[in-house]
Amino acid sequence: MLPAEAIESQALGVVQAVPPRIHRVFPCGNWSQSGHGGYYRVVLADVSGGVGTEVYIQTMQETVTGANLTLSTLETTPVRELNDDHGQYLVSSAKCVSKGAKGIVELKATFEHDEGNVAHRIRVVLTAPGSYKISNTVVRSP
């Protein structure tokens, strides 16, 4: 059996350009505003040599012209509560829990200033392009 190879890799140049510090990108929920719409994209980036993770939410716009779909990034919003180089979180897992069109990002993380076996369950609710609500539940492990 021979390995399958794509004749034309449409996104090869785009994927090769993704910096190694970006370790996860995933969609999470949809948005619409003033006749425009699209989806949210969550980006996790390693910082400080891999001992921390920064979280960003991108507002992606989908535009359909005839048979063509064009995607563009409208804005990138840092999750400031998590992106602090004096108090870093290290995200161990991330997932999107969509409720209808609303996106909710659920993160499990550790915090560099915690002592003992402490885990954080962080929920980021995507409320509108450029804004979010965040909650952080601390869980002490035995």
Side-chain angles (χ1 to χ4, degrees):
M1 184 179 233
L2 296 174
E5 292 185 22
I7 294 172
E8 292 183 41
S9 296
Q10 296 178 31
L12 180 61
V14 174
V15 173
Q16 284 179 321
V18 175
R21 290 176 33 179
I22 303 298
H23 75 262
R24 183 136 186 238
V25 179
F26 59 96
C28 190
N30 299 310
W31 66 272
S32 64
Q33 195 174 59
S34 304
H36 299 284
Y39 65 95
Y40 296 107
R41 181 166 74 177
V42 179
V43 179
L44 304 179
D46 292 332
V47 294
S48 300
V51 298
T53 308
E54 289 191 352
V55 181
Y56 297 88
I57 300 162
Q58 293 185 312
T59 305
M60 307 300 293
Q61 182 172 342
E62 299 174 330
T63 306
V64 178
T65 308
N68 296 323
L69 172 67
T70 304
L71 296 172
S72 56
T73 305
L74 294 182
E75 67 182 311
T76 300
T77 304
V79 179
R80 297 196 187 284
E81 295 85 346
L82 304 177
N83 299 0
D84 179 355
D85 67 341
H86 297 292
Q88 294 180 338
Y89 286 86
L90 179 61
V91 174
S92 59
S93 72
K95 67 180 180 177
C96 175
V97 180
S98 293
K99 295 196 176 181
K102 183 178 280 188
I104 300 171
V105 181
E106 292 185 350
L107 306 169
K108 289 183 184 174
T110 55
F111 183 61
E112 71 176 336
H113 295 299
D114 285 339
E115 293 182 19
N117 295 325
V118 177
H120 292 258
R121 290 187 188 148
I122 302 164
R123 287 175 56 102
V124 181
V125 179
L126 309 176
T127 56
S131 62
Y132 59 87
K133 291 181 182 178
I134 188 168
S135 64
N136 185 344
T137 303
V138 177
V139 180
R140 191 163 293 277
S141 301

